[in-house]
Amino acid sequence: PLSPPPPSSPPLISSSPPPTHPSTPSIQPVEPHDPVGAAGGGASVSASSKAVAPQRCVPKPWDEQSYQSLGRTTQFRGGNLEDPGVKEQVVASRSWNCELIIFAANEGGVLMAANSIYNMHRLGWDHYLLITRTEDQCLKLLDGPLKISCAWSTFLADHEGYKNWGIAECAYCADAFRIWVSRIYYLAEFIDQGLNAMYMDNDVAMTSDFYRVVKSPPMARHNLILQMEAQNIHGLNIGVIYCQNCEPGGRGQWVLRETVHRIVTLLEMKNQHLIYKEEEAAGVVHPPYHMGGAKNTLWDQHTVNDVVETSVHAKESRRRTYSIGLQGKQRDSYIKHHRYEARDTSWLVEDGVGYRDLQLPNEAAGETVVGAPTWMVGGWAGVAGDRQAQGVTGMWNVKVAPLAHFVGCPDKAGGLKALGWWDYRSEAVVASFLNQPPPLPMKERRWITLKGPSFEFSELKDFHKHYFNAVSRLIILGILTDRQVVPPPVPCSSKWVTSRDDKAWGGIEQVPYRWEWHAGERVNNGLQTGKCKYRPGPEIIANSDDEMCCIPWVKHNAMKCHLVHTWVELNHVMTENPELAQNADVKPVSPSQKLSESAAMELLESEKNVLYVQIESEEGVPTVDLSLDVTKRVMKAIGDDCSFFRRILREGDYQSIIP
């Protein structure tokens, strides 16, 4: 793992005068908590003591064992966090050494949340709580394969304001909004319980001991830590929020509580346009406005940034929250009218850390806000700082921060898999949650892929035509043989790959392939890169683990298809089970061969788990003359989520039978 840079290292952002240290946060004279029953190390905060005076839990100093909570916490078996005493029960059973990590998910987020928890367990941590949207969702997870500790919340449930913003009728919109606000709300609540509370998005990989970094200089003296997305105080990403040594009633907690207050106030406004009343009167803006909804004006990330700026300057800011409802020149006029550009929004830099002192509330002790440096929290794409610290460059294969956020990754699960940070047991958690049979273990699954030509073309249009036509034909063969379809890797040297950078791993940026191209259009097209041990074929490579495989992005946007699996998955199962690669079956086919159903089944009959269809040319994947019954089976298997490949089949080899 990367270490914090020494004080002599160049600053992250720009040179600044020597910063003034904030006053040391006042610490209540509380001894480290004794173990609470089987929870061992969980903080004990009674409801009565909380009512008298909230006090901050004092952690034991960091060492290699001080945050190893796995096997030392007890499962929390659900409860409404809005009910009396439930948060105290969470603290007693789930916190460890004054720490608690919060995740949040609706039904669509269970897979990524399960992987995050397995990820924690790999590091020896178990001090987390998953907040679900409903009681039913939580109860389904309690006794599943992972025995997840979860709670639900009725906070803002069925709020009348959803109608005002057009999200009441959209279950996903309301879900997302309520989960977003809840994560901020409960961070503040658990600070009142005396904890160092942390929230992480489910697409954040924990790659090494984050606590070693935040409990050591230069980070140890800082308080409210967020991911830095742009190099200023209103460019923070809230996929990672950590309030370290934040006092109950203090300035870090105020940022969180003020965020929730502002969002709820907006939610309750029946006439949203009133937020521009002053600016309209001044002739700065005029209707129509483009207020958006849960992902615009109500988005908590916008509000957190505005509140941070408000506290740093002790002067109100609505820079992001309100300007998002305006377009073009009106947005510029709004920002100019409020003189936001005149404010100093840069970070002070000390020991490689960008920070500012929080100023509100005035009577509270001094606390800081930090834009986490890239050696502590890395972002996959679209974030500030060292370019090589971004996952899009592939450099996470070489070095990576303790927290790696896959923000901007077109296939987050695929990105995690390519780096070896995916736990395939997560699929069983989802199956249990959905009351489905458990999936087969990876080594028992049956796979089909291609062997032979490289699909190396100079032009994108030629690659598109040949590669995806071959994959579409392979899907038909996969359905007939009941095998999982794996598109083959391609040469990293492919000339159609235009997104190249000497600073990227292997010289290739992992920008996604543009599946919907237009003639004459030049776009940046990259490949997913990852370490590999196996070539397209059963031969084992004896070279080092650092050899790079290049894989087309096939699990993003319209190309998403449940029948298609990436080469990363097959590579993983063959790496873990070398005998599958050694015993793989290879079936040669004649060029441009069209087969009857029976001939196809006979040709591809194999008891081996891994089957390669060996073709002589890029157009050599055979087609099959499908009967009406088998056509119905194929269409049912393709379903509605494979529209990209359905279109290729309909416009090509199977146009007479694919609707």
Side-chain angles (χ1 to χ4, degrees):
L2 300 177
S3 299
S8 58
S9 297
L12 278 180
I13 302 154
S14 60
S15 300
S16 303
T20 303
H21 285 270
S23 57
T24 303
S26 60
I27 300 177
Q28 301 290 342
V30 180
E31 296 299 319
H33 292 294
D34 293 326
V36 181
S44 173
V45 181
S46 68
S48 59
S49 66
K50 176 179 179 294
V52 174
Q55 295 182 325
R56 183 161 58 79
C57 175
V58 180
K60 300 172 184 176
W62 179 89
D63 61 36
E64 292 183 354
Q65 294 298 317
S66 54
Y67 294 94
Q68 296 292 295
S69 56
L70 186 61
R72 298 174 176 178
T73 57
T74 55
Q75 186 187 26
F76 180 72
R77 295 192 57 80
N80 183 352
L81 290 171
E82 292 301 281
D83 287 347
V86 172
K87 289 187 286 291
E88 287 77 10
Q89 294 171 27
V90 170
V91 172
S93 61
R94 300 305 301 158
S95 68
W96 181 263
N97 199 17
C98 306
E99 303 286 335
L100 181 68
I101 296 175
I102 295 172
F103 300 107
N106 59 10
E107 51 266 50
V110 170
L111 180 67
M112 296 291 287
N115 186 69
S116 293
I117 294 166
Y118 279 125
N119 201 260
M120 285 187 72
H121 288 176
R122 185 175 56 84
L123 295 172
W125 303 343
D126 191 50
H127 47 278
Y128 75 89
L129 180 73
L130 175 64
I131 302 176
T132 63
R133 183 178 63 87
T134 66
E135 176 180 359
D136 178 63
Q137 290 170 7
C138 176
L139 296 180
K140 288 180 179 179
L141 295 169
L142 293 174
D143 295 315
L146 189 48
K147 300 194 183 306
I148 290 175
S149 290
C150 58
W152 62 91
S153 172
T154 53
F155 177 66
L156 295 182
D158 302 318
H159 196 287
E160 285 295 316
Y162 295 159
K163 297 177 182 178
N164 303 333
W165 290 86
I167 58 178
E169 293 75 26
C170 168
Y172 169 77
C173 302
D175 266 9
F177 168 76
R178 200 158 67 83
I179 288 172
W180 291 336
V181 183
S182 293
R183 61 186 173 181
I184 307 295
Y185 175 70
Y186 286 112
L187 279 175
E189 290 292 290
F190 283 115
I191 291 170
D192 254 358
Q193 296 288 329
L195 298 180
N196 292 328
M198 184 176 191
Y199 166 80
M200 280 191 287
D201 278 351
N202 296 323
D203 62 344
V204 177
M206 291 155 272
T207 69
S208 60
D209 190 352
F210 166 80
Y211 290 111
R212 180 185 65 83
V213 176
V214 294
K215 304 304 179 185
S216 306
M219 294 303 302
R221 80 173 187 85
H222 293 293
N223 305 108
L224 182 60
I225 302 169
L226 303 98
Q227 182 176 3
M228 182 169 62
E229 194 165 76
Q231 292 181 332
N232 53 58
I233 63 172
H234 55 86
L236 296 166
N237 183 294
I238 62 173
V240 174
I241 312 175
Y242 182 48
C243 217
Q244 172 176 244
N245 301 332
C246 290
E247 288 293 331
R251 294 177 178 177
Q253 189 189 48
W254 182 87
V255 169
L256 303 173
R257 289 213 157 131
E258 174 65 9
T259 294
V260 175
H261 170 73
R262 289 189 182 191
I263 293 173
V264 173
T265 300
L266 282 171
L267 188 64
E268 293 176 345
M269 292 182 69
K270 292 185 177 180
N271 182 357
Q272 304 152 15
H273 294 178
L274 288 177
I275 66 176
Y276 301 118
K277 182 178 180 180
E278 173 199 333
E279 291 80 10
E280 276 190 24
V284 176
V285 300
H286 57 79
Y289 303 120
H290 136 120
M291 302 301 297
K295 195 63 190 279
N296 285 329
T297 308
L298 293 177
W299 192 21
D300 56 347
Q301 183 158 295
H302 290 319
T303 307
V304 166
N305 277 274
D306 285 349
V307 175
V308 165
E309 183 176 348
T310 296
S311 182
V312 166
H313 292 288
K315 186 175 182 180
E316 183 177 281
S317 171
R318 307 273 181 164
R319 179 197 297 263
R320 288 183 55 165
T321 313
Y322 286 3
S323 68
I324 196 68
L326 304 168
Q327 292 181 319
K329 293 182 179 180
Q330 286 206 79
R331 183 179 296 184
D332 296 338
S333 298
Y334 176 88
I335 291 174
K336 184 177 181 180
H337 174 72
H338 289 281
R339 298 181 55 80
Y340 289 136
E341 75 281 358
R343 298 184 184 181
D344 178 11
T345 61
S346 63
W347 296 104
L348 300 177
V349 180
E350 182 182 67
D351 295 340
V353 177
Y355 81 98
R356 292 292 291 264
D357 295 330
L358 296 170
Q359 305 293 332
L360 299 176
N362 295 326
E363 65 276 9
E367 292 181 347
T368 61
V369 60
V370 165
T374 54
W375 44 257
M376 187 178 81
V377 182
W380 200 87
V383 294
D386 180 6
R387 176 74 173 152
Q388 289 189 307
Q390 296 184 23
V392 68
T393 65
M395 293 304 293
W396 285 358
N397 286 281
V398 180
K399 60 181 180 179
V400 67
L403 299 178
H405 186 191
F406 281 76
V407 56
C409 182
D411 174 15
K412 298 182 180 186
L416 286 157
K417 290 172 182 177
L419 288 155
W421 301 336
W422 186 261
D423 196 303
Y424 288 86
R425 293 176 294 176
S426 302
E427 298 175 13
V429 175
V430 175
S432 172
F433 177 78
L434 298 175
N435 295 317
Q436 296 175 350
L440 280 175
M442 294 287 285
K443 67 178 182 180
E444 295 180 20
R445 299 180 190 181
R446 290 160 53 83
W447 311 82
I448 186 169
T449 187
L450 296 175
K451 178 179 172 65
S454 63
F455 292 93
E456 183 168 9
F457 294 94
S458 298
E459 296 295 328
L460 172 62
K461 62 182 178 63
D462 295 323
F463 169 78
H464 179 284
K465 174 183 175 181
H466 290 91
Y467 187 82
F468 288 103
N469 187 55
V471 173
S472 299
R473 291 182 180 184
L474 189 64
I475 287 174
I476 300 295
L477 301 183
I479 294 171
L480 289 175
T481 58
D482 196 24
R483 289 179 178 271
Q484 298 189 345
V485 176
V486 180
V490 299
C492 300
S493 59
S494 296
K495 293 180 180 179
W496 63 266
V497 177
T498 56
S499 186
R500 297 187 180 274
D501 187 336
D502 291 341
K503 293 183 179 180
W505 190 56
I508 296 178
E509 281 199 341
Q510 298 187 87
V511 295
Y513 157 77
R514 273 284 301 278
W515 69 273
E516 194 70 281
W517 57 276
H518 302 282
E521 184 179 37
R522 297 297 296 175
V523 295
N524 288 331
N525 292 289
L527 293 162
Q528 186 179 18
T529 57
K531 295 181 180 180
C532 58
K533 293 185 178 179
Y534 297 91
R535 295 192 189 278
E539 305 89 355
I540 298 178
I541 292 177
N543 297 353
S544 74
D545 289 345
D546 289 332
E547 182 165 359
M548 185 172 77
C549 273
C550 290
I551 308 148
W553 292 97
V554 294
K555 298 290 283 186
H556 76 104
N557 294 338
M559 284 191 289
K560 289 180 179 177
C561 176
H562 67 283
L563 299 173
V564 176
H565 299 262
T566 70
W567 177 257
V568 170
E569 296 173 69
L570 182 54
N571 181 53
H572 165 80
V573 74
M574 292 195 300
T575 302
E576 295 294 311
N577 306 276
E579 70 279 4
L580 295 184
Q582 294 168 331
N583 298 326
D585 207 347
V586 180
K587 298 286 188 177
V589 297
S590 301
S592 303
Q593 187 173 9
K594 186 166 186 176
L595 303 172
S596 66
E597 290 175 11
S598 59
M601 296 300 293
E602 182 178 352
L603 174 64
L604 301 176
E605 176 64 28
S606 176
E607 295 180 356
K608 305 299 184 181
N609 292 78
V610 181
L611 173 61
Y612 291 89
V613 178
Q614 184 167 353
I615 56 178
E616 296 183 10
S617 72
E618 286 84 356
E619 297 180 347
V621 181
T623 58
V624 182
D625 189 9
L626 300 178
S627 66
L628 179 59
D629 287 343
V630 174
T631 299
K632 291 179 180 178
R633 176 182 157 202
V634 167
M635 293 311 304
K636 182 178 180 180
I638 290 177
D640 296 328
D641 71 333
C642 299
S643 58
F644 175 76
F645 296 104
R646 180 202 291 263
R647 189 184 72 183
I648 293 174
L649 292 168
R650 185 180 64 239
E651 295 176 358
D653 304 307
Y654 294 89
Q655 57 184 305
S656 62
I657 60 173
I658 301 292

